[in-house]
Amino acid sequence: NTAQILKGQHWLITAGPTREAIDPVRYISNHSSGKMGFAIAKAAADAGATVTLVSGPVALVTPSNVNRINVISAENMHQQVMAHVKSTNVFIACAAVADYKIAEVAQQKIKKSNDNMQINLVKNPDIVADVAALADKPFTVGFAAETQDVEHYAKDKLTRKNLDLIAANNVAASNQGFNSDTNALTVFSHAKQFELPLASKQQIAQQLVALIAQQRDENQ
Ligand code: C5P
């Protein structure tokens, strides 16, 4: 994509999983590979945007012309996003952020003892909802990874989190979502629905970036 349609715009993107520490050697996380977020970052940079990518721990090479900020926990990711969101035109929350963190992280490695043990969890900040609540919010895009009732939950998130678009994939299907190199998305705005059929994550990312740019123009 040589057309620099996003020249002069700043796009902020989150990608990958977060890790929530249990003790110095253990954590809770998820299977997010970061591939979709990195593909979007590349597509936006290729289209001329200045791109900041806030990434959880992933084994991926940073696309060229992308400013990458590495984070570990949801709280780290929240801090970095809030520190960089000012003057951002588009925010895309592609990260699989842990909904909960450990209430009290143990300072030393937890020892094996009883047959049962409990870990107390508390809610993490909702990064995309906090961005969408800003007075001068950027055009805000969320993702919904659902295993059931995809449309219902995606539209609920769109409204509840005050998003402009939400991209839904059904992670129950085997050839899309998480570690796969392909994906298919249904994107919802408040008024419309767009289908991006099964393709490589890089192709899907290019289509999504074009769709976001077009929907943002329509909104202005
Ligand atoms: O509510 P749920 O986690 O399913 O919403 C998914 C969307 O919200 C994704 O865009 C994800 O990146 C974002 N999210 C977030 N911060 C959280 C949880 C989810 O930005 N703590």
Side-chain angles (χ1 to χ4, degrees), residues 14 74 77 91-99 124-129 141-146 157 160-161 163 166:
T14 67
M77 186 175 276
F91 176 64
I92 307 172
C94 200
V97 184
D99 292 326
N124 266 324
D126 192 315
I127 300 165
V128 75
V141 184
F143 270 75
E146 302 293 345
K157 253 166 236 180
R160 193 163 35 82
K161 299 193 187 200
L163 311 180
I166 191 150

Side-chain angles (χ1 to χ4, degrees), residues 77-180:
M77 186 175 276
H78 185 266
Q79 277 170 0
Q80 290 299 326
V81 165
M82 290 305 163
H84 289 87
V85 74
K86 203 171 166 349
S87 79
T88 288
N89 304 105
V90 173
F91 176 64
I92 307 172
C94 200
V97 184
D99 292 326
Y100 293 88
K101 67 180 173 191
I102 283 68
E104 276 176 74
V105 179
Q107 294 303 302
Q108 306 296 333
K109 185 180 171 190
I110 297 168
K111 290 292 182 197
K112 209 176 339 187
S113 52
N114 299 343
D115 285 349
N116 294 297
M117 75 173 290
Q118 271 91 41
I119 299 177
N120 211 9
L121 303 176
V122 293
K123 246 195 192 149
N124 266 324
D126 192 315
I127 300 165
V128 75
D130 283 359
V131 167
L134 294 171
D136 52 348
K137 79 180 251 250
F139 189 87
T140 304
V141 184
F143 270 75
E146 302 293 345
T147 54
Q148 56 176 348
D149 289 341
V150 174
E151 177 169 357
H152 171 78
Y153 286 114
K155 282 184 170 166
D156 172 67
K157 253 166 236 180
L158 182 72
T159 309
R160 193 163 35 82
K161 299 193 187 200
N162 192 32
L163 311 180
D164 297 294
L165 285 179
I166 191 150
N169 45 7
N170 183 351
V171 296
S174 57
N175 54 356
Q176 57 192 65
F178 285 120
N179 199 30
S180 165

